[in-house]
Amino acid sequence: MSTKAILRTEKLVKTYVTGTVETPALRGVTFELHRGEFTAIAGPSGSGKSTLLHLLGGLDRPTSGEIYLDGTALSTMPRNALSRLRLEKIGFVFQAYNLIPVLTVLENAAFILDLQGVARTERIERGRRVLAELGIEKYADQFPNRISGGEQQRVAVARAVVSEPAIVIADEPTANLDTAMSVELIDLMRRLNSERSATFLFATHDGRLLDRVNRLVTLVDGRIAADEIRNSL
Amino acid sequence: MKQAWRHLWRSRRRSILTLLAVFIPVLILVLDIGMLNGEQQGLFKNTVNFETGHLQIRSATETTAGGALPLMKDPAAALAALDSVPGIAWRTARLDLPAMISRGGRSQGILLQGVLPEEVGRVSPIGRLVSEGAYLTTGGNGVVIGGELRDLLSASVGDEVVLLGAHPDTGIGAASAPVVGVFTAPEPSMGRTLVQVDLGLAQTLARRPGAVTSIVAFVEGVTGPRDAEKVGAVVAELRARLPKDYRVLDYNELAPELVTFQNVVKPIHILFMGIFFILGGLVVLNTLFLAVVERTHELGVILAVGASRRRVMRMVMMEALLISLVGAGVGAAAAFGLVVWAQAVGGVRLPAAYDEVVRVMGMEPIMQLRVSALELALSGLAMVGVALLAAWIPARRAASLEPVEAMRHVN
């Protein structure tokens, strides 16, 4: 595992304002994520996990503080540039799969490549390759509503890793899956992490997933309460 | 594009509604244009055949008192000029004379047209509209009158009428002549006031042998108002060749009501169609807006994974483009089918209740539809343009979504 920080935050603060009511979600989070890490952010509901992931994924902007992805500061980046950065450097896996229903499994898997402007032949080839890697190539021409939740989440993982992004951010990826499917998915992501050196960052409550990460960051009330390295894996 | 196409199939009911919102205005627009063209064509045909020809050569002298046309000094020179210009299909001399017709104690002011029956019969529909008796014969002494005038004078074929011609240059001439034919005029005022006689008889009434007020000419290849350029070219050529003693006038100058008709009717049609297009556009806007609202979550995901706002906007616009192209294409094709059908059956007969109204306007109670390929294409493209304009609002909304908020959206 490389020790180079792919993602770094400095005193990250996020406060939601509704009318005159201010709700702090993050109260100064500073941490680094290194290339090839398989890291989970855990914590009770309302601890700021999702908020932190949104900020790290460039989906939202901090109230103060800074995020550096591959050395690039995100907080002042123009909206379009931020979209481009997400497209090129970040893969997303969402709790509810969030596949595009009118695209086939293969088209969903290759969707990011399509957005990146990769030629069709190459998209198909790379899409099929990643589907094969994740064991779902046989569903390539199916639409998402014809496959199970676990398979849909694999497609979501395929979509997240197909372009070999700098980091894959997954928000509760196993929350909607039963135990067997969760274990399969975790193994799959772990394999991608070790074989491709893909960097994974999760927000999760799932103990099965927490057992498999090599670093666990615990958030409580918008602050890092613990940052535990688990090198046993 | 594939994605946009599948989205359309995903919400079929909404897509059908959007399709209809494009289809109906295009269908109506093409039929409206077809009717407008048909009306114009009918008016053009009536005007040039009954009254003006495509062009006329007249004396340059100002119109004399009472609206009488000045007599031409040298009709032969005008005829020679016409014969030297390429593109003239046919021409004839005519003497238009303000006159009075009377029988018994009844009389009526008329426009007496002295024509050469063997020449004018080739284009003037009056010969074909004679419903009682027969048309004029060359050198004959007969009179052809309209049905309305017949009723006014209580005259029948064979009855003698008295004609009193009056021209400021020559004075008053009178003659008695039998009614040889009665024609059914396309409009009542024409049936009351237009009387045709042989040119010789008209010259007698004008008290000047050889007198002519107009040389009426038709230009080759002119079938409707769209061929105005061909007429214009011949008119320009004649103006260059003829001395200043002559005036060359095209049918628009001779019958300004043709232009007036266009000026009055067209804006009404444009307004009418504008309303349809706006309504169509609003339906497109509404349905696409609903589609965007329903897909807020999905659009949020697409934006989250890195799609540019331009790309999202293009997705919505692509859907609008596809559906409007299909709707406009089907609308234009359906309208074209109706136009072809209407032409094949010789026009659509209007209900009898409209007979008098359309006759007053100088038209037949048969609706003719005429539409060109260009008009067909432009009608479709105009609605596609309106649909795209309407789609711009939901597309912009889709593109302006914030990914995190959009992904929280639940339908």
Side-chain angles (χ1 to χ4, degrees), chain A residues 6-26:
Chain A
I6 187 103
L7 188 69
R8 184 162 60 86
T9 71
E10 278 178 6
K11 297 175 185 170
L12 215 49
V13 172
K14 179 69 182 179
T15 305
Y16 293 106
V17 180
T18 312
T20 55
V21 180
E22 292 191 353
T23 311
L26 295 177

Side-chain angles (χ1 to χ4, degrees), chain B residues 27-199:
Chain B
L27 179 80
I28 292 175
L29 175 63
V30 174
L31 292 179
D32 187 63
I33 290 173
M35 279 194 293
L36 191 62
N37 288 346
E39 283 169 21
Q40 268 185 291
Q41 181 72 19
L43 202 60
F44 172 84
K45 215 169 113 185
N46 283 345
T47 305
V48 299
N49 288 341
F50 280 100
E51 299 175 35
T52 65
H54 293 155
L55 63 93
Q56 286 185 20
I57 301 175
R58 291 179 178 175
S59 168
T61 317
E62 289 295 314
T63 302
T64 49
L69 294 177
L71 300 177
M72 291 175 77
K73 282 180 188 163
D74 187 5
L79 285 168
L82 264 175
D83 292 342
S84 69
V85 170
I88 297 296
W90 174 86
R91 83 315 187 258
T92 188
R94 202 167 82 189
L95 173 59
D96 289 358
L97 197 64
M100 176 89 81
I101 188 169
S102 57
R103 180 176 176 270
R106 300 177 181 195
S107 57
Q108 168 73 22
I110 56 167
L111 172 69
L112 189 84
Q113 278 187 351
V115 297
L116 293 165
E118 78 282 7
E119 286 184 3
V120 82
R122 290 173 58 185
V123 290
S124 171
I126 287 186
R128 293 191 294 278
L129 292 176
V130 168
S131 52
E132 293 171 35
Y135 191 55
L136 303 171
T137 51
T138 303
N141 192 35
V143 180
V144 171
I145 63 174
E148 284 78 3
L149 189 57
R150 173 204 56 198
D151 296 342
L152 205 109
L153 299 174
S154 293
S156 306
V157 172
D159 288 345
E160 286 283 324
V161 289
V162 176
L163 296 164
L164 204 62
H167 197 282
D169 295 346
T170 57
I172 297 172
S176 168
V179 174
V180 294
V182 177
F183 67 92
T184 307
E187 56 166 322
S189 66
M190 184 186 286
R192 242 186 343 265
T193 57
L194 182 68
V195 170
Q196 281 195 345
V197 297
D198 180 72
L199 183 61

Side-chain angles (χ1 to χ4, degrees), chain B residues 217-242:
Chain B
F218 284 76
V219 177
E220 280 173 359
V222 175
T223 56
R226 286 174 197 187
D227 299 315
E229 275 184 24
K230 287 182 188 170
V231 178
V234 172
V235 167
E237 182 72 27
L238 281 169
R239 281 176 183 160
R241 290 189 185 201
L242 282 165

Side-chain angles (χ1 to χ4, degrees), chain A residues 44-65:
Chain A
S45 286
S47 60
K49 299 188 298 292
S50 290
T51 302
L52 181 59
L53 282 198
H54 289 155
L55 295 178
L56 299 179
L59 295 172
D60 204 353
R61 292 179 193 274
T63 307
S64 66

Side-chain angles (χ1 to χ4, degrees), chain A residues 131-157:
Chain A
L131 288 180
E133 207 175 336
L134 299 183
I136 45 173
E137 196 188 5
K138 61 183 170 187
Y139 302 122
D141 298 323
Q142 300 275 9
F143 285 94
N145 61 355
R146 307 302 287 266
I147 60 176
S148 72
E151 286 152 356
Q152 286 190 51
Q153 196 61 306
R154 284 186 185 218
V155 179
V157 173

Side-chain angles (χ1 to χ4, degrees), chain A residues 31-192:
Chain A
F31 92 118
E32 286 186 351
L33 186 72
H34 298 94
R35 200 177 291 278
E37 278 188 349
F38 199 67
T39 301
I41 298 170
S45 286
S47 60
K49 299 188 298 292
S50 290
T51 302
L52 181 59
L53 282 198
H54 289 155
L55 295 178
L56 299 179
L59 295 172
D60 204 353
R61 292 179 193 274
T63 307
S64 66
E66 190 54 272
I67 306 155
Y68 297 94
L69 178 63
D70 248 357
T72 308
L74 305 192
S75 67
T76 52
M77 194 175 259
R79 211 157 69 157
N80 287 341
L82 208 53
S83 290
R84 192 75 210 166
L85 180 126
R86 286 200 300 272
L87 180 63
E88 287 174 352
K89 302 220 165 181
I90 306 171
F92 289 94
V93 180
F94 304 100
Q95 179 179 332
Y97 328 134
N98 287 340
L99 299 177
I100 298 167
V102 295
L103 298 184
T104 63
V105 163
L106 176 61
E107 287 163 348
N108 265 290
F111 185 61
I112 303 299
L113 301 177
D114 184 15
L115 294 180
Q116 288 178 345
V118 173
R120 188 168 178 273
T121 320
E122 190 185 338
R123 283 201 314 260
I124 292 172
E125 194 261 318
R126 286 170 66 181
R128 283 198 183 280
R129 200 189 314 148
V130 76
L131 288 180
E133 207 175 336
L134 299 183
I136 45 173
E137 196 188 5
K138 61 183 170 187
Y139 302 122
D141 298 323
Q142 300 275 9
F143 285 94
N145 61 355
R146 307 302 287 266
I147 60 176
S148 72
E151 286 152 356
Q152 286 190 51
Q153 196 61 306
R154 284 186 185 218
V155 179
V157 173
R159 179 177 67 186
V161 300
V162 71
S163 62
E164 299 181 356
I167 180 172
V168 175
I169 291 179
D171 191 3
E172 306 276 9
T174 57
N176 286 359
L177 304 180
D178 61 27
T179 301
M181 283 184 178
S182 295
V183 169
E184 270 184 32
L185 189 77
I186 293 162
D187 287 344
L188 192 75
M189 291 191 292
R190 199 70 183 93
R191 185 157 56 82
L192 289 170

